[in-house]
Amino acid sequence: MPLGPFGRFVMSIVYFTVPILGGYYFLPYIEKIKDKNLEGLEKRTVNQETVEQNRALQRILDDAAHKKSP
């Protein structure tokens, strides 16, 4: 049996609000998981070889930029 106008109105409100409220209350849980997963990344140190490699690549890019400009 199909819904009447009032039933369709109520169901449209339900279908609209459930994802919004669910997402609103689910977001803090997701943020906790994100913070837990990112803890290890904050403590990482920079490898000296990587720093030297980045400097060498930057020098190459700078030299190329100087050669290209008139």
Side-chain angles (χ1 to χ4, degrees), residues 62-70:
D62 291 341
D63 290 342
H66 286 51
K67 287 180 184 178
K68 188 181 273 188
S69 63

Side-chain angles (χ1 to χ4, degrees), residues 41-59:
L41 293 177
E42 294 172 358
K43 297 176 184 175
R44 288 175 57 182
T45 58
V46 177
N47 188 354
Q48 187 61 30
E49 293 175 5
T50 304
V51 172
E52 292 172 10
Q53 195 174 38
N54 287 342
R55 286 182 187 152
L57 289 171
Q58 189 62 49
R59 281 193 300 269

Side-chain angles (χ1 to χ4, degrees), residues 2-49:
L3 293 174
F6 182 71
R8 285 191 299 224
F9 174 72
V10 169
M11 290 311 296
S12 66
I13 291 174
V14 169
Y15 285 137
F16 179 75
T17 57
V18 167
I20 292 174
L21 293 176
Y24 179 76
Y25 288 108
F26 192 63
L27 188 61
Y29 172 71
I30 296 299
E31 287 178 350
K32 287 180 194 175
I33 292 174
K34 175 199 62 138
D35 292 338
K36 181 181 169 187
N37 288 337
L38 293 179
E39 282 177 359
L41 293 177
E42 294 172 358
K43 297 176 184 175
R44 288 175 57 182
T45 58
V46 177
N47 188 354
Q48 187 61 30
E49 293 175 5

